[in-house]
Amino acid sequence: MKAYNNLFEKVCSFDNLHLAYLRCRKNKRYKKDVLLFSFNLEDNLLEIKKELKTLSYKHGKYREFVVEDSKKRLIKAPLLKDRIVHNAICIIIEPIFEKTFISNSFACRKGKGTHKAIKELKRKLKNKDDQYCYKGDISKYFKSIDRSILFDLIKKKIKDQKLLFLIREIIRSDNYIENKGIPIGNLTSQLFANIYLDQLDCFVKNTLKNKIYFRYMDDFLLIGNKKEMKKSAERIRCFLFNKTKLLINPKKDNVFPINKGIDFLGYIVFSKYILLRKDTIRRFLDKAKKEELEKAFFGYAKHANSYFLRRDIRKNLTFFPSLFKRESQSHNSTKPLKMGFAIY
């Protein structure tokens, strides 16, 4: 395994810090903190460079808030200065780790993403309606990451001691107890989370030798015959506990026939079509403002077989929320929308 040195100077260079600033500013240039930083841009970037070069940089506090979609998530947003440092690090080290990631890991990677994952999954399901799926989800993933294990994984590729000092400062920047957890709001956390579960990817690929495997952050699935999937499920549970100290959520640890559809990333995926999840539709219609539906909901729905659903919502935006409300008592969030006019 190739290890990399002499990276710290690249991270600290003015050009790299300026590029990191531009990435942080994207779509946020009129935010108060961005405007204040930009007013004395050169001096502020030089100050960050000085703190990094002298190893006197200390990570700032986080702004905390809760985001609720399918579940509540505590987001910890770093200050602009710290976001610039996170970006500066990722610009240099992300390509190093990207080379080692498997192609079917789809989260937080250039050229990947949710929609590519579900379309590739649909393609892989062709002529496999008699097969089974094992689907798992890591319990409280970001909170459960062991910082010592994570840092050891990073050290296998990064040998630059000054850069490792900086990375350690970021890993330890939050107050999670027992040396566990990384904040969801950090850009570095997205990369670190992929590095951490790359162990699982390699185990499935090289040891289990499963040919159909998908992972999106802490959600993953495998396809094969029933006996193979049950055996793989047990081996993966043991591997995760022994090597990563992670546990699979028992409520989302299932082996089932794929002809029932695979609930993955907000869609129900079959071999011949893709449907929308009813609870995802409800959340969009309950929360999105009418003028934002076109951009938010229709951007999501167009990737499934949902022509008539989109047509009917455009005709009458008040019809669907009341319809879903009447069904709420018998709602099952893992089932696709069953109204024929809405999904085909």
Side-chain angles (χ1 to χ4, degrees), residues 63-119:
R63 179 174 61 88
E64 298 184 6
F65 57 94
V66 175
V67 171
E68 186 171 1
D69 37 40
S70 57
K71 57 185 177 182
K72 289 185 178 180
R73 302 175 191 273
L74 177 63
I75 306 299
K76 300 197 173 188
L79 301 173
L80 175 59
K81 173 184 173 180
D82 298 313
R83 297 203 305 271
I84 291 172
V85 174
H86 297 174
N87 271 273
I89 292 172
C90 287
I91 289 169
I92 301 303
I93 73 169
E94 189 170 12
I96 292 172
F97 289 97
E98 177 66 28
K99 294 176 185 177
T100 66
F101 293 155
I102 68 168
S103 61
N104 276 18
S105 168
F106 288 90
C108 306
R109 296 176 64 192
K110 188 176 181 179
K112 301 291 183 178
T114 300
H115 301 130
K116 186 166 184 177
I118 62 163
K119 288 173 182 176

Short mmCIF file of all heavy atoms in Angstrom, two decimals, residues 63-119:
data_model
loop_
_atom_site.label_atom_id
_atom_site.label_comp_id
_atom_site.label_asym_id
_atom_site.label_seq_id
_atom_site.Cartn_x
_atom_site.Cartn_y
_atom_site.Cartn_z
N ARG A 63 -21.84 25.31 15.66
CA ARG A 63 -23.23 25.76 15.80
C ARG A 63 -24.12 24.54 15.60
O ARG A 63 -24.06 23.88 14.56
CB ARG A 63 -23.54 26.84 14.75
CG ARG A 63 -24.98 27.35 14.80
CD ARG A 63 -25.17 28.51 13.83
NE ARG A 63 -24.92 28.12 12.46
CZ ARG A 63 -25.84 27.61 11.64
NH1 ARG A 63 -27.10 27.43 12.07
NH2 ARG A 63 -25.54 27.29 10.39
N GLU A 64 -24.95 24.24 16.58
CA GLU A 64 -25.75 23.02 16.54
C GLU A 64 -27.20 23.32 16.15
O GLU A 64 -27.79 24.30 16.60
CB GLU A 64 -25.72 22.31 17.90
CG GLU A 64 -24.34 21.86 18.32
CD GLU A 64 -24.37 21.08 19.63
OE1 GLU A 64 -25.49 20.80 20.14
OE2 GLU A 64 -23.29 20.74 20.14
N PHE A 65 -27.77 22.43 15.33
CA PHE A 65 -29.19 22.51 15.00
C PHE A 65 -29.66 21.13 14.56
O PHE A 65 -28.86 20.25 14.22
CB PHE A 65 -29.46 23.55 13.90
CG PHE A 65 -28.70 23.32 12.62
CD1 PHE A 65 -29.26 22.61 11.57
CD2 PHE A 65 -27.41 23.83 12.46
CE1 PHE A 65 -28.57 22.41 10.39
CE2 PHE A 65 -26.71 23.64 11.28
CZ PHE A 65 -27.30 22.93 10.24
N VAL A 66 -30.96 20.92 14.60
CA VAL A 66 -31.55 19.61 14.29
C VAL A 66 -32.22 19.67 12.93
O VAL A 66 -32.98 20.59 12.64
CB VAL A 66 -32.56 19.19 15.37
CG1 VAL A 66 -33.26 17.88 14.97
CG2 VAL A 66 -31.86 19.01 16.71
N VAL A 67 -31.94 18.68 12.11
CA VAL A 67 -32.62 18.51 10.82
C VAL A 67 -33.46 17.25 10.91
O VAL A 67 -33.00 16.21 11.39
CB VAL A 67 -31.61 18.39 9.66
CG1 VAL A 67 -32.31 17.98 8.37
CG2 VAL A 67 -30.86 19.70 9.46
N GLU A 68 -34.71 17.33 10.48
CA GLU A 68 -35.60 16.18 10.54
C GLU A 68 -36.11 15.83 9.16
O GLU A 68 -36.82 16.59 8.53
CB GLU A 68 -36.78 16.47 11.48
CG GLU A 68 -37.66 15.27 11.73
CD GLU A 68 -38.69 15.52 12.82
OE1 GLU A 68 -38.72 16.64 13.36
OE2 GLU A 68 -39.47 14.60 13.12
N ASP A 69 -35.71 14.66 8.64
CA ASP A 69 -36.29 14.14 7.40
C ASP A 69 -36.96 12.82 7.74
O ASP A 69 -38.05 12.79 8.27
CB ASP A 69 -35.23 14.01 6.29
CG ASP A 69 -33.89 13.55 6.82
OD1 ASP A 69 -33.85 12.67 7.70
OD2 ASP A 69 -32.87 14.08 6.35
N SER A 70 -36.30 11.69 7.47
CA SER A 70 -36.87 10.41 7.89
C SER A 70 -36.63 10.20 9.38
O SER A 70 -37.32 9.41 10.03
CB SER A 70 -36.25 9.26 7.10
OG SER A 70 -34.84 9.26 7.24
N LYS A 71 -35.62 10.90 9.94
CA LYS A 71 -35.35 10.85 11.37
C LYS A 71 -34.63 12.13 11.76
O LYS A 71 -34.12 12.87 10.92
CB LYS A 71 -34.50 9.63 11.73
CG LYS A 71 -33.18 9.54 10.97
CD LYS A 71 -32.46 8.24 11.30
CE LYS A 71 -31.18 8.11 10.49
NZ LYS A 71 -30.49 6.82 10.75
N LYS A 72 -34.58 12.41 13.06
CA LYS A 72 -33.90 13.62 13.54
C LYS A 72 -32.39 13.42 13.51
O LYS A 72 -31.89 12.38 13.93
CB LYS A 72 -34.36 13.95 14.96
CG LYS A 72 -35.79 14.46 15.04
CD LYS A 72 -36.13 14.88 16.47
CE LYS A 72 -37.54 15.44 16.54
NZ LYS A 72 -37.88 15.86 17.92
N ARG A 73 -31.68 14.44 13.02
CA ARG A 73 -30.23 14.40 13.00
C ARG A 73 -29.68 15.68 13.61
O ARG A 73 -30.13 16.77 13.25
CB ARG A 73 -29.71 14.27 11.56
CG ARG A 73 -30.22 13.05 10.81
CD ARG A 73 -29.74 13.08 9.36
NE ARG A 73 -30.41 12.09 8.55
CZ ARG A 73 -29.98 10.83 8.42
NH1 ARG A 73 -28.89 10.45 9.06
NH2 ARG A 73 -30.63 9.97 7.66
N LEU A 74 -28.72 15.53 14.51
CA LEU A 74 -28.07 16.69 15.09
C LEU A 74 -26.91 17.10 14.19
O LEU A 74 -25.95 16.34 14.01
CB LEU A 74 -27.55 16.37 16.49
CG LEU A 74 -26.76 17.48 17.19
CD1 LEU A 74 -27.66 18.70 17.42
CD2 LEU A 74 -26.16 16.99 18.50
N ILE A 75 -27.02 18.28 13.61
CA ILE A 75 -25.98 18.79 12.73
C ILE A 75 -25.11 19.76 13.51
O ILE A 75 -25.61 20.61 14.25
CB ILE A 75 -26.59 19.52 11.51
CG1 ILE A 75 -27.59 18.62 10.78
CG2 ILE A 75 -25.49 19.99 10.56
CD1 ILE A 75 -27.00 17.35 10.22
N LYS A 76 -23.80 19.63 13.36
CA LYS A 76 -22.86 20.53 14.02
C LYS A 76 -22.09 21.26 12.93
O LYS A 76 -21.22 20.69 12.28
CB LYS A 76 -21.93 19.75 14.94
CG LYS A 76 -22.69 19.01 16.03
CD LYS A 76 -21.80 18.58 17.17
CE LYS A 76 -22.60 17.99 18.31
NZ LYS A 76 -21.79 17.72 19.50
N ALA A 77 -22.43 22.52 12.75
CA ALA A 77 -21.86 23.32 11.67
C ALA A 77 -20.63 24.08 12.17
O ALA A 77 -20.72 24.84 13.13
CB ALA A 77 -22.89 24.30 11.14
N PRO A 78 -19.48 23.90 11.52
CA PRO A 78 -18.27 24.62 11.93
C PRO A 78 -18.26 26.06 11.44
O PRO A 78 -19.03 26.43 10.54
CB PRO A 78 -17.15 23.81 11.27
CG PRO A 78 -17.80 23.22 10.06
CD PRO A 78 -19.23 22.96 10.43
N LEU A 79 -17.40 26.88 12.02
CA LEU A 79 -17.22 28.25 11.57
C LEU A 79 -16.61 28.28 10.18
O LEU A 79 -15.99 27.30 9.74
CB LEU A 79 -16.32 29.01 12.55
CG LEU A 79 -16.80 29.09 14.00
CD1 LEU A 79 -15.72 29.73 14.87
CD2 LEU A 79 -18.10 29.86 14.10
N LEU A 80 -16.74 29.39 9.48
CA LEU A 80 -16.22 29.52 8.13
C LEU A 80 -14.72 29.23 8.09
O LEU A 80 -14.23 28.53 7.20
CB LEU A 80 -16.51 30.91 7.57
CG LEU A 80 -15.92 31.21 6.19
CD1 LEU A 80 -16.43 30.23 5.14
CD2 LEU A 80 -16.23 32.65 5.78
N LYS A 81 -13.98 29.76 9.04
CA LYS A 81 -12.54 29.52 9.09
C LYS A 81 -12.23 28.03 9.12
O LYS A 81 -11.34 27.55 8.40
CB LYS A 81 -11.96 30.21 10.33
CG LYS A 81 -10.50 29.90 10.60
CD LYS A 81 -10.05 30.54 11.91
CE LYS A 81 -8.65 30.11 12.30
NZ LYS A 81 -8.22 30.74 13.57
N ASP A 82 -12.96 27.29 9.93
CA ASP A 82 -12.73 25.85 10.04
C ASP A 82 -13.19 25.13 8.77
O ASP A 82 -12.55 24.16 8.35
CB ASP A 82 -13.46 25.30 11.26
CG ASP A 82 -12.94 25.92 12.54
OD1 ASP A 82 -11.72 26.00 12.72
OD2 ASP A 82 -13.78 26.35 13.37
N ARG A 83 -14.27 25.60 8.16
CA ARG A 83 -14.71 24.99 6.90
C ARG A 83 -13.66 25.14 5.82
O ARG A 83 -13.46 24.24 4.99
CB ARG A 83 -16.04 25.61 6.44
CG ARG A 83 -17.20 25.38 7.39
CD ARG A 83 -18.55 25.49 6.71
NE ARG A 83 -18.75 26.75 6.01
CZ ARG A 83 -19.26 27.85 6.56
NH1 ARG A 83 -19.57 27.87 7.85
NH2 ARG A 83 -19.45 28.94 5.85
N ILE A 84 -12.98 26.28 5.82
CA ILE A 84 -11.91 26.49 4.84
C ILE A 84 -10.78 25.50 5.07
O ILE A 84 -10.25 24.89 4.13
CB ILE A 84 -11.39 27.95 4.92
CG1 ILE A 84 -12.46 28.91 4.40
CG2 ILE A 84 -10.10 28.11 4.11
CD1 ILE A 84 -12.14 30.37 4.62
N VAL A 85 -10.42 25.28 6.33
CA VAL A 85 -9.37 24.29 6.65
C VAL A 85 -9.81 22.89 6.25
O VAL A 85 -9.03 22.13 5.66
CB VAL A 85 -9.02 24.35 8.15
CG1 VAL A 85 -8.05 23.23 8.51
CG2 VAL A 85 -8.43 25.70 8.51
N HIS A 86 -11.07 22.53 6.53
CA HIS A 86 -11.58 21.21 6.13
C HIS A 86 -11.46 21.03 4.63
O HIS A 86 -11.02 19.96 4.15
CB HIS A 86 -13.05 21.08 6.54
CG HIS A 86 -13.29 21.15 8.01
ND1 HIS A 86 -14.55 21.18 8.57
CD2 HIS A 86 -12.43 21.21 9.06
CE1 HIS A 86 -14.46 21.25 9.88
NE2 HIS A 86 -13.18 21.27 10.20
N ASN A 87 -11.90 22.03 3.88
CA ASN A 87 -11.83 21.94 2.42
C ASN A 87 -10.38 21.84 1.93
O ASN A 87 -10.09 21.09 1.01
CB ASN A 87 -12.51 23.16 1.79
CG ASN A 87 -13.99 22.95 1.55
OD1 ASN A 87 -14.39 22.45 0.51
ND2 ASN A 87 -14.79 23.33 2.52
N ALA A 88 -9.50 22.62 2.55
CA ALA A 88 -8.09 22.60 2.15
C ALA A 88 -7.49 21.21 2.31
O ALA A 88 -6.71 20.75 1.47
CB ALA A 88 -7.30 23.63 2.96
N ILE A 89 -7.86 20.54 3.39
CA ILE A 89 -7.37 19.18 3.62
C ILE A 89 -7.97 18.21 2.60
O ILE A 89 -7.26 17.40 2.00
CB ILE A 89 -7.71 18.73 5.06
CG1 ILE A 89 -6.91 19.54 6.08
CG2 ILE A 89 -7.44 17.23 5.25
CD1 ILE A 89 -7.33 19.29 7.51
N CYS A 90 -9.27 18.30 2.40
CA CYS A 90 -9.95 17.36 1.48
C CYS A 90 -9.45 17.51 0.05
O CYS A 90 -9.33 16.52 -0.68
CB CYS A 90 -11.46 17.55 1.55
SG CYS A 90 -12.20 16.92 3.08
N ILE A 91 -9.17 18.74 -0.37
CA ILE A 91 -8.67 18.95 -1.73
C ILE A 91 -7.40 18.14 -1.97
O ILE A 91 -7.21 17.57 -3.06
CB ILE A 91 -8.39 20.46 -1.97
CG1 ILE A 91 -9.70 21.24 -2.06
CG2 ILE A 91 -7.57 20.67 -3.25
CD1 ILE A 91 -9.53 22.74 -2.02
N ILE A 92 -6.56 18.02 -0.96
CA ILE A 92 -5.27 17.32 -1.11
C ILE A 92 -5.38 15.82 -0.87
O ILE A 92 -4.81 15.02 -1.62
CB ILE A 92 -4.23 17.93 -0.15
CG1 ILE A 92 -4.04 19.43 -0.46
CG2 ILE A 92 -2.89 17.20 -0.27
CD1 ILE A 92 -3.64 19.74 -1.88
N ILE A 93 -6.11 15.40 0.17
CA ILE A 93 -6.08 13.98 0.53
C ILE A 93 -7.22 13.15 -0.08
O ILE A 93 -7.08 11.93 -0.20
CB ILE A 93 -6.06 13.77 2.06
CG1 ILE A 93 -7.42 14.09 2.69
CG2 ILE A 93 -4.95 14.58 2.71
CD1 ILE A 93 -7.52 13.65 4.15
N GLU A 94 -8.32 13.80 -0.46
CA GLU A 94 -9.44 13.02 -1.00
C GLU A 94 -9.04 12.21 -2.24
O GLU A 94 -9.41 11.03 -2.34
CB GLU A 94 -10.63 13.92 -1.30
CG GLU A 94 -11.88 13.14 -1.65
CD GLU A 94 -13.12 14.02 -1.70
OE1 GLU A 94 -12.99 15.26 -1.69
OE2 GLU A 94 -14.22 13.45 -1.73
N PRO A 95 -8.29 12.78 -3.20
CA PRO A 95 -7.90 11.98 -4.38
C PRO A 95 -7.05 10.77 -4.01
O PRO A 95 -7.10 9.75 -4.72
CB PRO A 95 -7.09 12.98 -5.22
CG PRO A 95 -7.57 14.33 -4.80
CD PRO A 95 -7.87 14.20 -3.34
N ILE A 96 -6.30 10.85 -2.93
CA ILE A 96 -5.46 9.72 -2.49
C ILE A 96 -6.33 8.55 -2.07
O ILE A 96 -6.09 7.40 -2.47
CB ILE A 96 -4.55 10.16 -1.32
CG1 ILE A 96 -3.52 11.17 -1.82
CG2 ILE A 96 -3.86 8.96 -0.69
CD1 ILE A 96 -2.70 11.82 -0.71
N PHE A 97 -7.36 8.82 -1.27
CA PHE A 97 -8.24 7.75 -0.81
C PHE A 97 -9.24 7.33 -1.89
O PHE A 97 -9.63 6.16 -1.94
CB PHE A 97 -8.97 8.20 0.46
CG PHE A 97 -8.09 8.28 1.66
CD1 PHE A 97 -7.54 9.49 2.06
CD2 PHE A 97 -7.79 7.14 2.39
CE1 PHE A 97 -6.71 9.56 3.17
CE2 PHE A 97 -6.95 7.20 3.50
CZ PHE A 97 -6.41 8.40 3.89
N GLU A 98 -9.63 8.28 -2.73
CA GLU A 98 -10.59 7.97 -3.79
C GLU A 98 -10.08 6.83 -4.68
O GLU A 98 -10.85 6.00 -5.15
CB GLU A 98 -10.86 9.23 -4.62
CG GLU A 98 -11.79 9.03 -5.80
CD GLU A 98 -13.21 8.68 -5.40
OE1 GLU A 98 -13.65 9.07 -4.30
OE2 GLU A 98 -13.89 8.00 -6.20
N LYS A 99 -8.79 6.78 -4.91
CA LYS A 99 -8.21 5.73 -5.76
C LYS A 99 -8.47 4.32 -5.21
O LYS A 99 -8.49 3.36 -5.97
CB LYS A 99 -6.69 5.93 -5.87
CG LYS A 99 -6.27 7.18 -6.59
CD LYS A 99 -4.75 7.31 -6.55
CE LYS A 99 -4.26 8.62 -7.16
NZ LYS A 99 -2.79 8.77 -7.05
N THR A 100 -8.63 4.22 -3.90
CA THR A 100 -8.76 2.91 -3.27
C THR A 100 -10.21 2.49 -3.05
O THR A 100 -10.46 1.33 -2.73
CB THR A 100 -8.04 2.89 -1.90
OG1 THR A 100 -8.71 3.77 -0.99
CG2 THR A 100 -6.59 3.37 -2.07
N PHE A 101 -11.17 3.41 -3.18
CA PHE A 101 -12.57 3.08 -2.93
C PHE A 101 -13.14 2.23 -4.06
O PHE A 101 -12.78 2.42 -5.23
CB PHE A 101 -13.42 4.34 -2.78
CG PHE A 101 -13.09 5.17 -1.56
CD1 PHE A 101 -13.37 6.53 -1.54
CD2 PHE A 101 -12.52 4.60 -0.43
CE1 PHE A 101 -13.09 7.30 -0.42
CE2 PHE A 101 -12.22 5.36 0.69
CZ PHE A 101 -12.51 6.71 0.69
N ILE A 102 -14.05 1.33 -3.73
CA ILE A 102 -14.69 0.50 -4.74
C ILE A 102 -15.71 1.34 -5.52
O ILE A 102 -16.18 2.37 -5.06
CB ILE A 102 -15.39 -0.73 -4.13
CG1 ILE A 102 -16.60 -0.31 -3.28
CG2 ILE A 102 -14.40 -1.56 -3.30
CD1 ILE A 102 -17.49 -1.47 -2.88
N SER A 103 -16.06 0.88 -6.70
CA SER A 103 -16.95 1.66 -7.57
C SER A 103 -18.37 1.73 -7.04
O SER A 103 -19.11 2.67 -7.34
CB SER A 103 -16.96 1.07 -8.98
OG SER A 103 -17.45 -0.27 -8.95
N ASN A 104 -18.80 0.76 -6.24
CA ASN A 104 -20.19 0.72 -5.77
C ASN A 104 -20.39 1.31 -4.38
O ASN A 104 -21.32 0.95 -3.67
CB ASN A 104 -20.73 -0.71 -5.83
CG ASN A 104 -21.23 -1.05 -7.23
OD1 ASN A 104 -20.89 -0.38 -8.19
ND2 ASN A 104 -22.03 -2.08 -7.33
N SER A 105 -19.50 2.22 -4.00
CA SER A 105 -19.73 3.08 -2.84
C SER A 105 -20.14 4.44 -3.40
O SER A 105 -19.36 5.09 -4.10
CB SER A 105 -18.44 3.19 -2.00
OG SER A 105 -18.55 4.22 -1.06
N PHE A 106 -21.36 4.89 -3.11
CA PHE A 106 -21.96 5.99 -3.86
C PHE A 106 -22.09 7.31 -3.11
O PHE A 106 -22.47 8.31 -3.70
CB PHE A 106 -23.34 5.57 -4.36
CG PHE A 106 -23.30 4.57 -5.48
CD1 PHE A 106 -23.31 3.22 -5.22
CD2 PHE A 106 -23.25 4.98 -6.81
CE1 PHE A 106 -23.28 2.29 -6.25
CE2 PHE A 106 -23.21 4.08 -7.85
CZ PHE A 106 -23.22 2.71 -7.57
N ALA A 107 -21.80 7.36 -1.81
CA ALA A 107 -22.05 8.57 -1.03
C ALA A 107 -20.88 9.54 -1.07
O ALA A 107 -19.73 9.13 -0.93
CB ALA A 107 -22.37 8.21 0.42
N CYS A 108 -21.19 10.83 -1.25
CA CYS A 108 -20.20 11.91 -1.11
C CYS A 108 -18.98 11.68 -1.99
O CYS A 108 -17.84 11.90 -1.56
CB CYS A 108 -19.78 12.05 0.35
SG CYS A 108 -21.15 12.25 1.50
N ARG A 109 -19.21 11.27 -3.22
CA ARG A 109 -18.11 11.05 -4.17
C ARG A 109 -18.49 11.66 -5.52
O ARG A 109 -19.63 11.54 -5.97
CB ARG A 109 -17.82 9.56 -4.35
CG ARG A 109 -17.33 8.87 -3.09
CD ARG A 109 -17.16 7.38 -3.31
NE ARG A 109 -16.10 7.12 -4.29
CZ ARG A 109 -15.90 5.92 -4.83
NH1 ARG A 109 -16.69 4.90 -4.51
NH2 ARG A 109 -14.93 5.75 -5.71
N LYS A 110 -17.51 12.28 -6.15
CA LYS A 110 -17.75 12.91 -7.43
C LYS A 110 -18.16 11.87 -8.47
O LYS A 110 -17.53 10.81 -8.59
CB LYS A 110 -16.47 13.62 -7.89
CG LYS A 110 -16.66 14.47 -9.13
CD LYS A 110 -15.39 15.23 -9.48
CE LYS A 110 -15.58 16.10 -10.71
NZ LYS A 110 -14.35 16.86 -11.03
N GLY A 111 -19.24 12.15 -9.20
CA GLY A 111 -19.72 11.25 -10.23
C GLY A 111 -20.58 10.11 -9.71
O GLY A 111 -20.98 9.24 -10.47
N LYS A 112 -20.86 10.11 -8.39
CA LYS A 112 -21.70 9.05 -7.81
C LYS A 112 -23.04 9.65 -7.41
O LYS A 112 -23.64 10.39 -8.16
CB LYS A 112 -20.97 8.42 -6.62
CG LYS A 112 -19.63 7.80 -6.98
CD LYS A 112 -19.78 6.57 -7.85
CE LYS A 112 -18.45 5.92 -8.15
NZ LYS A 112 -18.60 4.69 -8.96
N GLY A 113 -23.54 9.32 -6.21
CA GLY A 113 -24.77 9.92 -5.71
C GLY A 113 -25.95 8.98 -5.71
O GLY A 113 -25.90 7.86 -6.22
N THR A 114 -27.05 9.49 -5.14
CA THR A 114 -28.27 8.70 -4.94
C THR A 114 -28.84 8.16 -6.23
O THR A 114 -29.12 6.97 -6.36
CB THR A 114 -29.34 9.57 -4.25
OG1 THR A 114 -28.85 10.02 -2.99
CG2 THR A 114 -30.63 8.79 -4.05
N HIS A 115 -29.00 9.02 -7.22
CA HIS A 115 -29.71 8.62 -8.43
C HIS A 115 -28.90 7.63 -9.27
O HIS A 115 -29.45 6.70 -9.87
CB HIS A 115 -30.08 9.86 -9.24
CG HIS A 115 -30.95 10.81 -8.47
ND1 HIS A 115 -30.68 12.15 -8.37
CD2 HIS A 115 -32.06 10.59 -7.72
CE1 HIS A 115 -31.60 12.72 -7.62
NE2 HIS A 115 -32.43 11.81 -7.21
N LYS A 116 -27.60 7.80 -9.28
CA LYS A 116 -26.78 6.83 -9.99
C LYS A 116 -26.85 5.47 -9.29
O LYS A 116 -26.88 4.42 -9.95
CB LYS A 116 -25.32 7.31 -10.06
CG LYS A 116 -24.45 6.40 -10.92
CD LYS A 116 -23.13 7.04 -11.27
CE LYS A 116 -22.34 6.13 -12.21
NZ LYS A 116 -21.06 6.75 -12.64
N ALA A 117 -26.91 5.49 -7.96
CA ALA A 117 -26.98 4.24 -7.19
C ALA A 117 -28.26 3.46 -7.50
O ALA A 117 -28.20 2.25 -7.75
CB ALA A 117 -26.89 4.54 -5.70
N ILE A 118 -29.40 4.14 -7.47
CA ILE A 118 -30.65 3.39 -7.68
C ILE A 118 -30.79 2.91 -9.13
O ILE A 118 -31.32 1.82 -9.38
CB ILE A 118 -31.88 4.22 -7.26
CG1 ILE A 118 -32.01 5.50 -8.10
CG2 ILE A 118 -31.86 4.52 -5.79
CD1 ILE A 118 -33.38 6.13 -8.01
N LYS A 119 -30.28 3.68 -10.09
CA LYS A 119 -30.35 3.24 -11.48
C LYS A 119 -29.42 2.07 -11.73
O LYS A 119 -29.75 1.14 -12.48
CB LYS A 119 -30.03 4.41 -12.40
CG LYS A 119 -31.14 5.45 -12.45
CD LYS A 119 -30.76 6.69 -13.23
CE LYS A 119 -31.89 7.71 -13.19
NZ LYS A 119 -31.53 8.99 -13.86
#
